[in-house]
Amino acid sequence: MKQKKILILMIITIFFTGCSAFKKDELLNEGKLALEKHEYTKAQDLLSQVLTADSTNENARSMYMQAVKMNDAAEYEEKQNYDKAIECLNVIENLKGGSSEIKKEASKKKKEFIKLNEEYKKSQEERKENAKDVSSKEQYKLEQDALKENQKQDALKEKEEQKAQEEENNQQDNKLENTQGDSSQENTGEVIQTPSNNQSQSSNTNQTHQPQQESQI
């Protein structure tokens, strides 16, 4: 009786073990298929189930890493960060095991990314040089505008100084004319007063002599 129970348990164990192994192989194949179709998230999910059931499965581990790095490389490619994308592809090339199809694809993409990276860096340098040229031109224009503005201000200042000098000269001329006019009026007054004084003196003299003449008569 005991032997029958043991035999039944062994059969059940073998059955479930066989089913489990079949399930792992099925998951592994599905994971590989998803990986080669570039369904990286799905591949990671399937292959992680295989590794949960059997953590020693190196082939599943390598394909899992391939899915992770290919996904990362695609994201870096979108951002034009080719240096990082190339690093991810290097990891795939150096993995032992995994999908040979993905390794070939990684090597091909790596060559493309190296070329794109060179072109990208070259265009970046050209943009920098163009930016420097534009900046230099703008700086030159600003300097010329500032120089013209300074010249304009200097011209206005010189014009104002000339105007102020002319006004000062006019004021001095007016003062000089006023001074000369006052002097002329004073001289004219003296000339007018002299005859009147003489007449007054003559009149007084005549009045003085008249009584003497009358007394003689």
Side-chain angles (χ1 to χ4, degrees):
M1 189 69 179
K2 288 182 179 180
Q3 290 179 350
K4 285 184 178 180
K5 288 182 179 180
I6 293 171
L7 183 61
I8 292 170
L9 288 172
M10 288 178 64
I11 292 171
I12 293 171
T13 302
I14 292 169
F15 176 77
F16 281 107
T17 302
C19 289
S20 178
F22 176 78
K23 183 66 175 177
K24 283 190 293 183
D25 290 340
E26 186 179 1
L27 289 172
L28 186 65
N29 290 331
E30 288 179 0
K32 181 181 178 183
L33 184 62
L35 173 63
E36 292 175 351
K37 285 183 177 180
H38 305 157
E39 297 174 354
Y40 302 122
T41 302
K42 182 179 179 180
Q44 289 177 57
D45 181 57
L46 292 168
L47 293 167
S48 66
Q49 293 181 47
V50 176
L51 291 170
T52 300
D54 182 10
S55 61
T56 62
N57 193 323
E58 292 299 326
N59 194 34
R61 190 179 301 280
S62 294
M63 285 194 290
Y64 182 86
M65 286 299 298
Q66 285 178 328
V68 171
K69 292 301 179 181
M70 286 295 285
N71 190 43
D72 290 345
E75 290 179 358
Y76 286 128
E77 181 184 7
E78 289 180 1
K79 297 175 182 178
Q80 292 186 319
N81 190 344
Y82 297 111
D83 287 326
K84 289 290 185 181
I86 291 168
E87 288 179 8
C88 292
L89 298 175
N90 283 333
V91 172
I92 294 172
E93 284 184 326
N94 295 326
L95 283 172
K96 293 180 180 179
S99 169
S100 58
E101 188 69 25
I102 291 297
K103 281 190 175 183
K104 290 178 183 178
E105 186 176 340
S107 297
K108 183 179 179 181
K109 276 188 170 294
K110 180 182 173 181
K111 292 178 182 178
E112 292 176 0
F113 287 169
I114 289 172
K115 185 177 180 180
L116 288 171
N117 197 29
E118 290 175 354
E119 292 175 355
Y120 177 74
K121 289 182 177 179
K122 184 178 179 180
S123 66
Q124 288 291 95
E125 288 297 324
E126 289 177 353
R127 287 177 186 175
K128 287 181 181 178
E129 291 299 324
N130 291 335
K132 287 180 181 178
D133 292 340
V134 171
S135 178
S136 298
K137 289 178 181 178
E138 289 179 352
Q139 182 65 27
Y140 176 76
K141 185 177 182 299
L142 289 173
E143 290 175 355
Q144 290 299 311
D145 290 343
L147 180 61
K148 289 178 181 178
E149 184 63 24
N150 289 335
Q151 291 175 345
K152 182 179 178 181
Q153 293 297 328
D154 290 342
L156 289 173
K157 185 177 179 181
E158 184 178 355
K159 188 175 181 180
E160 289 176 356
E161 289 177 352
Q162 288 178 352
K163 185 177 180 181
Q165 186 64 41
E166 289 176 358
E167 290 178 354
E168 185 178 351
N169 292 337
N170 290 334
Q171 289 177 358
Q172 290 178 354
D173 291 341
N174 290 334
K175 286 181 180 179
L176 182 60
E177 289 177 359
N178 291 334
T179 302
Q180 291 176 350
D182 292 340
S183 299
S184 298
Q185 288 178 0
E186 289 176 359
N187 294 332
T188 303
E190 290 176 357
V191 171
I192 293 171
Q193 287 175 358
T194 300
S196 65
N197 290 335
N198 290 334
Q199 289 176 0
S200 177
Q201 290 175 359
S202 176
S203 175
N204 291 333
T205 304
N206 291 332
Q207 289 177 359
T208 304
H209 289 290
Q210 283 178 359
Q212 291 177 357
Q213 290 176 356
E214 289 176 356
S215 62
Q216 290 176 359
I217 295 171

